[in-house]
Each structure stands twice: as C-alpha cells, then as structure tokens.
Amino acid sequence: MIWTRKHLLDIESLSVEELATLLDTAMAFKSVGERAIKKVPALRGKTVVNLFVEPSTRTRISFELSEQRLSADIIDFTAEASSLKKGETLKDTARTLEALNADFIVIRHSASGAPHFLSRVLDAHVINAGDGAHEHPTQALLDMLTIREKKGRIAGLNVTILGDILYSRVARSDIWALTKLGAHVTLCGPSTLVPKSFERLGCRVTHRLEEAIRDADVINLLRIQHERQRRSMFPSLNEYVNLFGLSKQRLALTKPDAMIMHPGPVNRGVEIDSDIADGERSVILQQVTNGLAVRMAALFLINGGGGPQAVAV
Ligand code: CP
C-alpha cells in the first residue's frame, strides 16, 4: 500500500493494512540493524525535535537512536530547561521549533490530545510518543512486532493485559491494535482500575487473575500509574500484590509457552516477581530492541518512504 498519513497520532484511526505496512517495514529495518553499517540516509537533511514534556527512558532514547540511524538532524528538547517553565504555551513552543525548520515533532505530554492539537496548528509531521492516558502508538506497534515475531501470528491468540488499565495509554493502544489484528483480549485487575466499560472495545473483562491467565498465550503486565491517579484506587500495595501480582505460583498456572511482556518501567515485586521479569519467558528486552525498528519504520513511512521493499537503501 502507499502510505499517505502525515502524522502518527494513535492506533485507533489506523486500518489493518496500515498496521501491517508499519510492522512489515519495521521487520525490514530490523535487518538494517543487523548490518555492519546500521545507518541509512532516509532522513538526511531533515530535522526532528524530540519534545518530551513528561519523563521517559525507553521511548526517548529509542526515538533518538532511530533518528540517528536514519541520518536526521536531531534536537532534544528538555522541558525543565525551557521557556515552558516561564509560562510559554505548548503551541508557542512548538511553533518556535517549527520556525527553526523542524520537519518532525515527536511529542510526549501528560495531556491527552496534545499531539492531535499540535497536528492541527503545525505544518510539521507529528508523532505521538505517549499522551496522558490516551495512546502510545509506537509502544503498541513494538508490542505487536514482538508478539508476531515470537508467536508467528497475532490473529486468534489469547492476550491478557493485567494491571492498571484505566490510566494506561499502553493498554488503550494495545487494545486497538490487538483487536484490529484479530487477537482475543482479556483485561484484568482491580475493578477500580479495570471498569466493565472496556468491554465496549471488544475485550473480555475479569477481576479474577487465575481466570485471566489460565488460557493466555501472551500476558502483558502494566505498572500502577500513580502519577495519573488522583486518589487511591485500592487499599494497599500489599493487597494489590496479593491479588494481582504475577508470582511464580501464579506463573505455574499458565500455559507452558505463555509469553510475558511489560512496556516498562517495571516495578519489581509489585506487578511482577523479579525472577519472572528476568526469566526465559520474559520478552521485555526484546520489546525494547523492537522499538528501534518500529520507530525507524514510522519516521520512514511518514517521510514519504515506500513500504518494506523500499528499505534496502
Ligand atoms: N514504555 C515506555 O513508554 O517507557 P518510557 O516511559 O521509559 O518511555
């Protein structure tokens, strides 16, 4: 297919064909990452601003390395040392960056909809690197790439997302991607963090952990997003660990080949036992590696590159 989108703002609006093109192009970039010379000239002469107004380790570094591999000029914007601290609006900051000829703005922001807003007021391409509790599209893409690589398919798999669904942008993007690609999605966690209303997105909702993990081919664990919760959503962390933490005893109840995922950052000993996070069923670090290929693919396609067949440059 010919890629026509100017921005990558969410997974919700992408077609199955667009998702497949992103994943196939990412696979082609994985081979580039295995070459002696890992750099391609696809974004030579283009300027990318990484506008991270909320903390990030994985996404920020992964975008930066992807942009370097595509030969872009990069500006890393540090919110703490910027005029945002003096009361400048996001719109004025972004338009200032555009006036310096930025071609791409990669934005992470605590406000849901911030990337969509920028896409309406700027001429530059906008990529959402996580907006509030709304979406985190490149995380979902790297999750899909990892599942497809490890399991050979996504359609028909039972995927359980366990933890704080309500405040998670990763959960929302994963739900859109998984349901579009034909997986059966189960959501589990405390009823305050996993409301039944999520069934409207085509998921099964249960508050019983054993039921959620028993038939799962993939278990994706999410941390408690304390930074977005305005009140306590469960009595204590201990109670959460007792009811919903993935312990070794609970892992023993799962299918022997059930794969364990986590977008990070991991709160060891809370949503996941430390040994499981480091164990042979965990693909947490493969997820990080795949993030690079997925972000290269997104930048490449949005810049007007062809599909996977055009990557061999
Ligand atoms: N998964 C993820 O978004 O991690 P960071 O917050 O470290 O970018």
Side-chain angles (χ1 to χ4, degrees), residues 1 3 8 11 14-31 137-149 152-155 174 177-178 180-181 290-291 293-298 301 307-309 311:
M1 67 160 286
W3 190 267
L8 178 61
I11 298 291
L14 295 185
S15 67
V16 172
E17 205 181 4
E18 285 171 321
L19 283 171
T21 299
L22 276 158
L23 296 178
D24 291 344
T25 308
M27 275 312 290
F29 274 116
K30 275 203 86 164
S31 345
T138 56
Q139 178 68 47
L141 291 167
L142 74 88
D143 289 346
M144 297 312 112
L145 190 67
T146 308
I147 296 173
R148 205 175 77 167
E149 235 183 356
R153 67 193 166 103
I154 293 173
D174 275 353
L178 288 163
K180 281 172 195 270
L181 296 174
N290 281 341
V294 154
R295 291 174 177 121
M296 286 175 84
L301 288 170
Q309 70 288 348
V311 171

Side-chain angles (χ1 to χ4, degrees), residues 83-94:
S83 290
L84 284 171
K85 292 303 255 184
K86 302 179 198 163
E88 186 169 63
T89 64
L90 177 65
K91 179 177 173 181
D92 283 339
T93 299

Side-chain angles (χ1 to χ4, degrees), residues 52 55-60 108 129 136 139 169-170 223 262-265 295:
F52 278 61
S56 167
T57 298
R58 279 147 286 270
T59 313
R60 184 188 181 114
R108 167 167 292 194
H136 193 344
Q139 178 68 47
R169 53 192 173 217
V170 175
R223 75 183 171 89
H262 195 308
R295 291 174 177 121

